[in-house]
């Protein structure tokens, strides 16, 4: 744990995120054992998606569980821009471009959002915490894409929406509507 400290990327209420010291293209997410629920759920969900053959295109590649004493954690692809820096949230770009956007989405941004929504619907990838800091805009060398770095999987004890696409789609659409009206539109209107 101490060797990871200098590589700290972010610290939420329950989770600590580090750049992996050995693999530049990986991050390590750790939760203390007394608050391991979210991380456990995510590990289970990523394995489920892998088994189903879902491509990890708009969520970071899952690279397995890691063992650190006192913590539950996993490794995943670091979402980086072409220059090697950690990608920034979509809303950070929207806020900077306020004047330019003039209260509406640029077609390019709209296309990126549509692409993410279509991906979630096509593969029934369930967002449970669709908030602004969890959606990064990755400006890669080859392409620009939105990546959902946190908050996937079903919150419910029995995740039926995971197995019944019809229910999954309903859940995705509901969360997406809320994300657009609460997180994206207010930034554009500022
Ligand atoms: N795969 C990733 N690639 C790059 N940065 C990441 C990645 N995952 C998390 N981060 C950074 O770490 C922060 C916290 O990670 P997150 O998984 O959202 O944890 P929390 O559960 O605390 O919200 C993010 O806001 C982001 O800055
Ligand atoms: Mg988060």
């Amino acid at each position: 744990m101490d060797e990871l400290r200098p590589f700290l990327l972010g610290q939420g209420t329950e989770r600590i995120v580090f750049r992996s010291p050995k693999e530049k293209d990986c991050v390590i997410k750790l939760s203390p054992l007394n608050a391991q629920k979210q991380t456990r759920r995510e590990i289970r969900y990523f394995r489920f998606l892998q088994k189903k053959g879902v491509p990890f295109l708009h969520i970071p590649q899952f690279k397995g569980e890691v063992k650190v004493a006192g913590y539950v954690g996993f490794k995943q692809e670091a979402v980086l821009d072409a220059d090697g820096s950690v990608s920034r949230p979509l809303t950070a770009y929207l806020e900077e471009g306020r004047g330019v956007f003039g209260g509406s989405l640029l077609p390019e941004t709209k296309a990126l959002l549509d692409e993410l929504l279509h991906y979630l619907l096509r593969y029934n990838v369930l967002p449970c915490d669709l908030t602004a800091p969890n959606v990064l805009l990755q400006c890669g060398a080859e392409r620009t894409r939105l990546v959902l770095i946190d908050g996937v999987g079903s919150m419910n004890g029995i995740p039926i929406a995971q197995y019944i696409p019809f229910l999954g789609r309903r859940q995705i659409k509901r969360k997406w509507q809320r994300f657009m009206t609460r997180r994206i539109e207010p930034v554009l209107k500022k």
Side-chain angles (χ1 to χ4, degrees):
M1 184 66 182
D2 285 337
E3 31 192 287
L4 287 174
R5 291 255 173 243
F7 300 92
L8 187 70
L9 252 187
Q11 185 154 14
T13 40
E14 296 189 338
R15 210 164 29 187
I16 326 173
V17 182
F18 303 94
R19 271 306 270 276
S20 164
K22 286 182 211 133
E23 296 140 291
K24 283 212 159 27
D25 56 346
C26 280
V27 299
I28 295 172
K29 299 194 175 184
L30 300 178
S31 296
L33 292 178
N34 62 11
Q36 55 174 294
K37 220 163 129 193
Q38 179 201 3
T39 297
R40 277 251 164 268
R41 176 170 42 78
E42 279 185 1
I43 293 172
R44 222 178 304 130
Y45 191 59
F46 288 139
R47 292 216 172 104
F48 167 82
L49 294 179
Q50 270 182 334
K51 214 182 275 175
K52 234 174 60 167
V54 169
F56 282 48
L57 286 172
H58 294 274
I59 51 176
Q61 287 288 340
F62 176 66
K63 307 205 176 216
E65 216 171 324
V66 293
K67 300 251 179 288
V68 174
Y71 293 87
V72 170
F74 61 89
K75 239 176 6 181
Q76 72 176 187
E77 170 192 356
V79 180
L80 305 175
D81 288 350
D83 65 3
S85 62
V86 174
S87 300
R88 299 158 63 217
L90 168 67
T91 45
Y93 286 92
L94 296 182
E95 274 163 13
E96 280 166 12
R98 270 195 291 255
V100 183
F101 284 89
S104 64
L105 280 179
L106 277 183
E108 296 90 309
T109 317
K110 172 127 190 358
L112 290 172
L113 283 161
D114 284 346
E115 191 185 76
L116 173 60
L117 175 61
H118 286 143
Y119 167 81
L120 300 176
L121 290 170
R122 173 162 182 202
Y123 296 105
N124 198 38
V125 173
L126 305 173
C128 61
D129 189 21
L130 203 46
T131 59
N134 288 340
V135 180
L136 302 190
L137 175 65
Q138 182 183 37
C139 304
E142 272 138 53
R143 55 179 294 208
T144 304
R145 61 172 183 167
L146 294 178
V147 186
L148 187 53
I149 51 156
D150 174 31
V152 290
S154 198
M155 286 282 205
N156 309 326
I158 307 160
I160 16 173
Q162 220 170 284
Y163 301 98
I164 305 174
F166 160 71
L167 295 178
R169 289 177 74 84
R170 229 169 45 182
Q171 185 173 315
I172 293 165
K173 284 183 179 165
R174 209 168 46 225
K175 301 263 178 185
W176 188 265
Q177 197 56 50
R178 223 176 287 163
F179 171 65
M180 291 301 289
T181 55
R182 290 193 192 165
R183 315 284 178 173
I184 301 297
E185 284 160 19
V187 178
L188 298 173
K189 286 188 188 125
K190 262 189 215 161

